[in-house]
Each structure stands twice: as structure tokens, then as C-alpha cells.
Amino acid sequence: MKAVILVGGEGTRLRPLTVNLPKPMLPVVNRPFLEHVLAYLKDHGITDVILSMGYRSEVIEKHFGDGSDFGIRLRYVVEASPLGTAGGVKNVAQYVDGTFLVLNGDILTDLDLGAMIDFHRQNGAKATISLTPVEDPTAYGLVETDATGRVRRFIEKPRLEDVTTNFINAGTYVLEPEVLDLIPPATYYMFERGVFPELLSRRDPVYGFRSDCYWIDIGTPAKYLTVQRDILNGRVQHLSRRLAGGRGFRAGKGAAVDPSVTVIGPAILGDRVRIAAGARISGPVVIGDGCVIGPGTTIEEAILWSGVKIGARVKLSGSILGRDVVVDDDAIVTGGAVIADGCSIGSENRLDQAIRIWPGRSIPPRTITF
Ligand code: GTP
């Protein structure tokens, strides 16, 4: 069976991390996120994949090529302007035959695809939507099903008294090819607001496949941190297996960690990472290839992309640092800061809010100190 992955979005909520990289290429435990999605598909025997692309598609194509290095046959279709989720699938229709899968390219899940495909076939469905439970149903579009799983209606952000289910669309679909006939060509069109309501109004069989397995979309900085915490804590089964247990402390090739460094796992260090005397790493922490951490520095729950240089006695927590960021001595970076590629934070600055700094900016020493 073929799979279409939607990777054309601009990832605006993750800016400025998505200024230079499209969302599927953001590193997650030091590998581009899309590598994890492709490995997951391969685990389920899906090796024929079509990427529906738009924003910064060239970065994805350059990394994955024809997919053979990843054991997948990859094809690319790039849209000239955003076509939305359904428009993006219509745009790749020439590569689709038979029943096929559609995946949002920003979701990490342990969903059992084989069981979902069986469920789709047993029900003779035209479309099957994966469903995941949420704690606060009033914040989402809900999918109400009957006892057999057949979708009865979609409810957009209901009031508490109108809540009849806590299951939302989890962004993985099994579709029959006829569904493509409902999508207008070269037009912005969405599954959620266009295709699925249309199928229901035609009384076509649409089913919801409920699962409470691990599920997250990496669409915001907070969730981008959460997904890596969850992987490091062993909560994502297919990835934890691949990371040989997931927990504890792992260092890449050529890493040099001074014996006086305290590491409280889980933490992953990339290749050639250097950590100086007296530093303290308190997981979950991911440090990219070639990063240098100065003496006496404390890093707690943070993601550092490759080439980051941190000076002495820096305090870093709850934050994300892009490629080649420099943080000088005695700076404090806490509280959800997102600092994009190539920024430099001068010594003794204190960034303790969810500040977002665009690529290449430079903050002189002692500028932000309140
Ligand atoms: P935000 O701007 O932060 O909302 O992110 P996004 O642009 O990625 O949108 P969203 O999170 O709603 O997208 C869900 C999935 O659909 C992601 O994998 C996107 O890459 C993909 N996607 C969204 N819009 C389009 C589009 O117009 N074309 C294609 N091909 N994919 C899209």
C-alpha cells in the first residue's frame, strides 16, 4: 500500500525554528523528524511513499534523495502555492492506486497501521480516520462515532455541555481512491472541513479508528520539547526500540565529557560533543553534533541543535537553541526561549521568558538583564 505524507505546511507556529528548515526536517533526538516517520512506515511494511510538498521542499529532497538510503521508495510532488491537506493529496493523484494512506507529516505515533487498515476493510469504508482522545475536548474539532465506529458527525470546539466524545482527528487516514474525485484540482481544499463532511452528507461510510496509543503533533515549541522528553523517557515504543532502550545517557562518536560532569539522564549527546569540567546536564536533554559546553554550565530540559557553543557558568533550561547558536559566559536562558540558527547571546544576559529570537540576531553583553 502506498502512503502520501503531507509536508507542505509553513510551520508558522514553530517559527523561528522553521525559517531555515521545514517542520519535517527539524531535528528530533538528533535526526530529521521525517526520518522517524519513514522508519515507522517501514516498520509497518509501507515502503512506497509520496511526499506532498510546498514550503522549503528542496531541503527535504536533498536529504532523502530517492529514499534508497532509508529503505523507502520516495517520490516528490511540489505545489506552486499551498493547496491545503486535501488539495495536496489531489495534487499527487497520479501516483496513487488502490486503497492508500495519508499522514500529516508532523505527527509521531505508535498507531497500529495494520489494525487500522484491517478495520477499514472489514467495514467497507470509503475513508477511515484515526482518532485519539484528548483531555480538553472543548479546544478541538471532535469526531463522534456510533458503537461500530461509523462517524456520525464532526463537532467544532463544542461548549462543555455539548461534549459527546473526547476523540479528535489524529491526522492519519485510510482512503479509497474514489475519495480523490471529491477534491477539486489545483484548489485549496481541506479534509477536515471539505472532504469528510462531504462524504458524510453523501452517506458514504466514514469510520473512526480509535486508539489511545502514543500520539503527538510537533506543531509548537512546547510540543517539540515534549516529544523529545517522551522519546527519551521511553514513551514512544517504536522509537525507543530503535534507540536501544531510549533511557539513560548516550554519547555519539568522539564525544568528550569531563569526568567531573554530572549527568542525570535521560540525555543524548551527538558526535564530537565536548563538555567541560563541573558542568551539569539534567535530562531530558538533547545536544547536537559538535556542540561545546563550557565549565560550570547547567543544562536542564533543553534541545541544542548542532554546532552550539555555550560558555562558562551559563544556566540553560526549558529552551531550544538552533544551529550554531552562541551563548556567552554567565548568561541565563530559561522559561521556553526559542533561539534560532546563528544567534549569539552575549555574556550576562538574562532571557527568562518564552522569547523567540530570529536567525542571525546578536544580543550584546548585559542587554537584557531584568
Ligand atoms: P502551522 O502554520 O504552524 O499551522 O503549521 P502547518 O503549516 O504545518 O499546518 P498544520 O500543522 O495544520 O499542517 C498539518 C500537516 O499538513 C503538516 O504536516 C503540514 O506540512 C501539512 N500541510 C499543511 N498545509 C499544507 C498544504 O497546503 N500543502 C501540503 N502539501 N501540506 C500541507
Side-chain angles (χ1 to χ4, degrees), residues 33-109:
F33 179 70
L34 190 56
E35 280 191 19
H36 301 308
V37 179
L38 293 179
Y40 160 78
L41 285 175
K42 208 168 148 226
D43 281 353
H44 287 85
I46 311 279
T47 54
D48 213 332
V49 175
I50 305 135
L51 295 183
S52 169
M53 330 225 284
Y55 179 71
R56 304 301 311 254
S57 58
E58 73 289 352
V59 184
I60 301 177
E61 210 166 332
K62 186 162 174 250
H63 182 79
F64 288 99
D66 65 2
S68 50
D69 288 352
F70 303 87
I72 294 260
R73 180 177 187 210
L74 266 184
R75 271 167 298 191
Y76 303 98
V77 182
V78 183
E79 52 205 40
S81 62
L83 294 174
T85 50
V89 172
K90 178 76 173 185
N91 202 38
V92 307
Q94 76 265 31
Y95 292 123
V96 171
D97 45 45
T99 308
F100 66 105
L101 280 163
V102 173
L103 289 86
N104 278 358
D106 58 353
I107 284 167
L108 190 69
T109 179

